[in-house]
Amino acid sequence: MGNRFQVKDRFADGAQYIDGQLRSGTSGQSHTVVNPATGEEVLTYELASTADVDAAVAAAKRAFPAWSAATPGERSDALHRLAAVLAEQAEDFAYAESLQCGKPIKLSTEFDVPGTIDNTAFFAGAARHLQGQAAAEYSGDHTSYVRREAIGVVGSIAPWNYPLQMAAWKILPAIAAGNTIVLKPAELTPLTSLMFAQAAKDAGLPDGVVNIVTGAGRDAGEHLVGHPDVVMTSFTGSTAVGKRVAEIATATVKRLHLELGGKAPFLVFDDADLEAAAHGAVAASLINTGQDCTAATRAYVQRPLHDAFVARVSELMETVRLGDPFDPATDLGPLVSHAQRDRVAGFVERARGYATVVTGGEIPGGELAEGAYYQPTLVSGAAQDSEVVQSEIFGPVLVVLSFDTDDEGIELANDTPYGLAASAWSRDVYRAGRATREIKAGCVWVNDHIPIISEMPHGGYKASGFGKDMSAYSFEEYTQVKHVMYDNTAVAAKDWHRTIFGDRT
């Protein structure tokens, strides 16, 4: 990893980034970022107070008039410069992301960081394409067109599982559209969000356009969402917390974007390529140690393939290498915290009472004992209404169930409150096509599971929330649509006026 920067030196001035400067929080409460692979302290910092949130929102409000008045080309140029800065600092970002999250360095280096750079480059281009409906005379006597305008200060909250990418997903469409933003990252993982804001300054973005407040959800987070000068909030996290965010946001009539939990089905029909499906299931269930709301969590396998699928997935899971996240050979790192590991272990232990743990299901000892590690785990024989099938575990756990008919498979795939992502595995184009139409999820992959691209939207159905991240569709979240209508007749007494007063001439 080259010359790694010293985190404590980098953030010696604090873990709040307001109006272009790092500063310390003023809540009087501290928080420690811990390396989940070792349990060692990475950084102890002062949490943000409501006063810090007020200062960040005020900075964003001051920066908004000039930034929203910048031309699309000027904003695009700034984001192109930001993409270049991120590329120059890619090694530092990968190191910090793995340090605070426990991600294997190959995941940070090959997925999180390049994905963020690509996202930035995409929105640099998209900033020039804030288009409305073409001008036309829809009424006959008037010319109408649509403007897309920036809406103001955005107050967003990002989760701990993909701190860098989620920060980018919140910040980039907002500022590309001309808004300014205050982002609250998770207290567990603030490092790369702060670095992203610093990179924005290095790229020449004006102070106040991007601000970061690192504080507790019940204090800084709720104050940000409810702030009278914040006109929109975007939240990614659990459905339970999302409901609370919605309560606060709707009380002040804010625009709201929610990307919430998931319980993605992995639907394997009996004509699927078994080897492809097994490899796909292992990769899709274990990405980011299963801490991914689109990860495959429920594999429904048509009965003729069920036993072979379970055997092959079990075999592959047993080859997965747990270890030091900074070892390039490591496949699976720790969960984000010991508390999260224990939560995942609790699901599996309770499942032993009604299902079979085929492989895994243990906290490893030895050299890994100090970290928040958990073995890749495969569970079979659970009932559809069981906890392990219905609840979001957010760990390296895949549950396999069988089905008989195609109708039954699709019905089971839809049988949870969530609808964020899903996949269907079949060699039959008509069978797969039916699954893409009838599975209620914001993204349905065919013969793959997990890949995302900047050009396409990400967001869910049902209890997985609403609104879209990434893609040009995200501008529907971050812009105000205005209809402008010009009279073309220059007639003072218009014919329609007689419906209000007078007689038709």
Side-chain angles (χ1 to χ4, degrees):
M1 288 300 295
N3 296 317
R4 298 172 178 176
F5 66 89
Q6 296 299 310
V7 171
K8 292 179 182 178
D9 293 339
R10 177 76 175 257
F11 300 108
D13 293 330
Q16 317 302 325
Y17 190 84
I18 300 172
D19 207 13
Q21 299 293 328
L22 283 173
R23 63 174 73 174
S24 184
T26 61
S27 69
Q29 297 178 313
S30 63
H31 185 83
T32 298
V33 178
V34 173
N35 177 351
T38 63
E40 296 174 347
E41 175 193 347
V42 173
L43 176 71
T44 297
Y45 65 92
E46 297 298 314
L47 291 165
S49 67
T50 56
D52 297 322
V53 173
D54 290 341
V57 172
K61 187 176 180 180
R62 288 192 299 273
F64 175 73
W67 182 247
S68 61
T71 67
E74 290 168 337
R75 292 198 294 270
S76 175
D77 288 346
L79 291 178
H80 277 300
R81 294 194 301 270
L82 176 55
V85 171
L86 294 173
E88 291 169 3
Q89 300 177 9
E91 186 175 291
D92 283 351
F93 274 97
Y95 167 66
E97 195 77 335
S98 287
L99 186 66
Q100 67 182 353
C101 298
K103 293 175 188 283
I105 194 64
K106 67 178 180 179
L107 183 66
S108 295
T109 302
E110 299 178 31
F111 182 73
D112 296 72
V113 174
T116 300
I117 295 168
D118 183 73
N119 238 234
T120 306
F122 170 81
F123 279 107
R128 291 179 177 266
H129 296 282
L130 289 170
Q131 298 172 343
Q133 196 166 8
E137 287 69 49
Y138 296 99
S139 79
D141 291 336
H142 306 81
T143 296
S144 289
Y145 68 90
V146 169
R147 290 175 54 89
R148 282 194 177 271
E149 298 179 347
I151 57 177
V153 177
V154 178
S156 294
I157 299 175
W160 49 257
N161 57 331
Y162 289 100
L164 176 59
Q165 289 207 72
M166 295 296 100
W169 286 14
K170 303 299 183 196
I171 292 169
L172 291 169
I175 65 175
N179 304 291
T180 55
I181 189 167
V182 179
L183 175 78
K184 192 196 90 65
E187 305 96 298
L188 290 171
T189 55
L191 303 184
T192 46
S193 298
L194 293 163
M195 291 168 64
F196 190 92
Q198 290 176 308
K201 182 175 178 117
D202 293 344
L205 273 74
D207 292 347
V209 172
V210 178
N211 306 273
I212 308 293
V213 290
T214 308
R218 290 189 178 276
D219 300 320
E222 292 197 1
H223 189 66
L224 176 62
V225 173
H227 199 288
D229 290 331
V230 169
V231 297
M232 174 188 166
T233 191
S234 176
F235 170 81
T236 296
S238 72
T239 298
V241 178
K243 290 177 181 178
R244 175 61 180 157
V245 169
E247 289 175 3
I248 299 169
T250 53
T252 50
V253 199
K254 285 178 172 45
R255 186 175 297 195
L256 182 61
H257 169 213
L258 298 175
E259 200 262 87
L260 307 177
K263 191 70 178 174
F266 188 99
L267 186 60
V268 182
F269 293 102
D270 58 14
D271 67 331
D273 182 325
L274 177 62
E275 195 67 9
H279 278 81
V282 173
S285 62
L286 300 185
I287 184 171
N288 203 37
T289 318
Q291 298 166 127
D292 186 314
C293 48
T294 63
T297 60
R298 300 177 289 138
Y300 295 100
V301 184
Q302 207 150 23
R303 201 170 299 278
L305 284 187
H306 176 271
D307 291 351
F309 179 88
V310 170
R312 186 60 176 136
V313 169
S314 175
E315 184 178 51
L316 291 172
M317 278 190 171
E318 289 170 2
T319 70
V320 172
R321 299 163 297 187
L322 279 70
D324 176 5
F326 291 103
D327 183 343
T330 292
D331 297 321
L332 197 73
L335 288 109
V336 74
S337 68
H338 288 76
Q340 179 64 13
R341 181 202 63 189
D342 293 345
R343 179 180 178 274
V344 171
F347 275 101
V348 177
E349 289 307 307
R350 291 189 295 274
R352 291 185 194 277
Y354 54 80
T356 300
V357 177
V358 179
T359 191
E362 301 290 343
I363 296 172
E367 296 179 355
L368 304 181
E370 298 301 317
Y373 289 90
Y374 196 75
Q375 291 179 345
T377 300
L378 183 65
V379 177
S380 68
Q384 175 66 13
D385 61 356
S386 63
E387 177 191 53
V388 77
V389 174
Q390 292 293 322
S391 298
E392 188 173 32
I393 299 173
F394 229 56
V397 180
L398 177 65
V399 185
V400 183
L401 302 90
S402 62
F403 68 94
D404 291 305
T405 67
D406 290 15
D407 289 349
E408 181 189 10
I410 292 172
E411 181 181 356
L412 290 170
N414 285 328
D415 184 29
T416 71
Y418 301 106
L420 187 57
S423 63
W425 297 74
S426 173
R427 290 184 173 97
D428 185 327
V429 65
Y430 299 104
R431 209 175 201 182
R434 179 192 174 190
T436 65
R437 292 190 300 273
E438 296 186 14
I439 293 176
K440 305 304 180 187
C443 175
V444 181
W445 293 281
V446 176
N447 295 327
D448 208 344
H449 191 119
I450 282 298
I452 54 174
I453 49 175
S454 297
E455 292 82 359
M456 289 291 110
H458 176 87
Y461 285 30
K462 302 189 294 185
S464 291
F466 48 82
K468 299 298 179 185
D469 288 311
M470 299 198 299
S471 80
Y473 290 98
S474 64
F475 286 133
E476 296 176 6
E477 318 297 326
Y478 293 98
T479 56
Q480 188 71 264
V481 174
K482 178 185 287 184
H483 170 213
V484 178
M485 195 176 207
Y486 284 90
D487 171 62
N488 294 329
T489 66
V491 173
K494 295 179 172 56
D495 188 53
W496 73 266
H497 292 174
R498 62 97 188 170
T499 63
I500 314 301
F501 71 101
D503 298 319
R504 177 172 292 173
T505 57

